[in-house]
Amino acid sequence: MKPVLIIRTGRAPQPIRARHGDFPHWFRLGAGLSPARLRVVDVEAGETLPPPGDVAGALITGSAAMVTERSAWSERTAGWIRDAMDAELPLFGVCYGHQLMAHALGGRVDYLPGGREIGTVTIQLLDAAKDDPLVHPLPTTFKAHATHEQSVLELPRGAATLASSSRDPHHLVRYAANAMSTQFHPEFNADVMRAYIRRKHHDMRREGFDPHHTFRQVAPTPLARRLFRQFSRHHGLAAG
């Protein structure tokens, strides 16, 4: 059986890792992946991705890096994404992974106007979601965790936005039957979200946001996680 790939594009900050784990652990739990079938490739550290045909699917993590930096490892991964799309490999990108997929396929990524988006946000489904096999069962609005400074500002040709927030118009994007991405973090739980807010509270104050209010608004996000799990199940990546 082919492995399921987690493409690691970065690490959570060390204090968060020490207490809550890191992206591969959160992705495994959130997407319901079998540890025995899992392969993690740390592209930020220079590890080489296998040919798309050698894996069953790939999930792309978040990162503290910026897509606009055009780092060599990031651009190599963008090329791999294009090859994987040609091979119709199941792909799911999150945060940096979401932005990198859009960039790789011809979209435009840059800083989100108005500053960072952080906290538990309300996600609104759009008309394009009505016919999407994974997204249409969700309610019109649901909660999700987010923390990002950059965003997808222009979609690649042929992509469709399925959901947005009040700050970011492209929170959930469908590229093809096998490929989608989220700006929000379906793998985060409430404790992880609170940990990010604690870490970013000085930046939030400097940018005119109230970290205490944002902290108090953190809530569970089971529907965002369910979407992640459903993608994994739909494409035969989940355990069991």
Side-chain angles (χ1 to χ4, degrees):
M1 185 178 290
K2 293 179 179 179
V4 178
L5 198 62
I6 292 180
I7 300 176
R8 182 176 190 162
T9 65
R11 285 167 169 74
Q14 195 282 328
I16 295 177
R17 294 201 308 271
R19 182 162 185 173
H20 301 285
D22 205 351
F23 291 116
H25 174 66
W26 303 336
F27 269 54
R28 180 179 67 80
L29 295 180
L33 305 176
S34 167
R37 197 181 172 194
L38 195 60
R39 179 177 175 186
V40 179
V41 176
D42 189 341
V43 291
E44 188 189 35
E47 294 181 2
T48 301
L49 288 161
D54 290 353
V55 298
L59 313 178
I60 311 170
T61 75
S63 178
M66 299 294 174
V67 168
T68 55
E69 294 169 350
R70 304 288 180 90
S71 299
W73 64 263
S74 185
E75 292 298 291
R76 284 194 298 269
T77 307
W80 187 93
I81 289 169
R82 290 189 287 272
D83 292 341
M85 289 292 293
D86 289 342
E88 299 183 350
L89 187 73
L91 294 176
F92 195 109
V94 173
C95 197
Y96 190 94
H98 161 79
Q99 297 164 18
L100 187 59
M101 284 181 69
H103 164 67
L105 301 175
R108 185 170 70 90
V109 173
D110 212 326
Y111 284 90
L112 180 66
R116 77 182 69 237
E117 183 179 44
I118 185 168
T120 305
V121 301
T122 299
I123 303 298
Q124 175 81 41
L125 293 189
L126 305 176
D127 287 344
K130 293 177 181 177
D131 297 321
D132 191 274
L134 293 184
V135 180
H136 82 83
L138 292 172
T140 304
T141 62
F142 62 94
K143 298 291 186 180
H145 301 309
T147 175
H148 63 113
E149 294 180 70
Q150 295 200 333
S151 179
V152 176
L153 300 187
E154 295 179 11
L155 292 179
R157 182 177 300 175
T161 301
L162 305 181
S164 63
S165 73
S166 61
R167 292 286 318 287
D168 190 328
H170 304 304
H171 253 285
L172 175 58
V173 174
R174 168 74 73 178
Y175 304 93
N178 58 297
M180 64 194 309
S181 65
T182 62
Q183 181 58 66
F184 60 82
H185 284 272
E187 81 282 15
F188 277 17
N189 62 28
D191 287 338
V192 170
M193 186 71 261
R194 292 187 186 101
Y196 269 90
I197 295 168
R198 288 190 192 99
R199 182 171 178 82
K200 297 292 186 180
H201 75 277
H202 291 303
D203 293 329
M204 294 173 69
R205 285 193 182 282
R206 187 179 65 251
E207 295 169 5
F209 300 112
D210 180 354
H212 297 297
H213 174 76
T214 303
F215 189 91
R216 289 193 299 270
Q217 296 301 308
V218 172
T221 60
L223 295 177
R225 178 165 291 221
R226 184 190 301 175
L227 173 65
F228 201 26
R229 184 72 59 93
Q230 285 298 108
F231 179 91
S232 183
R233 287 176 177 164
H234 183 76
H235 292 286
L237 310 181

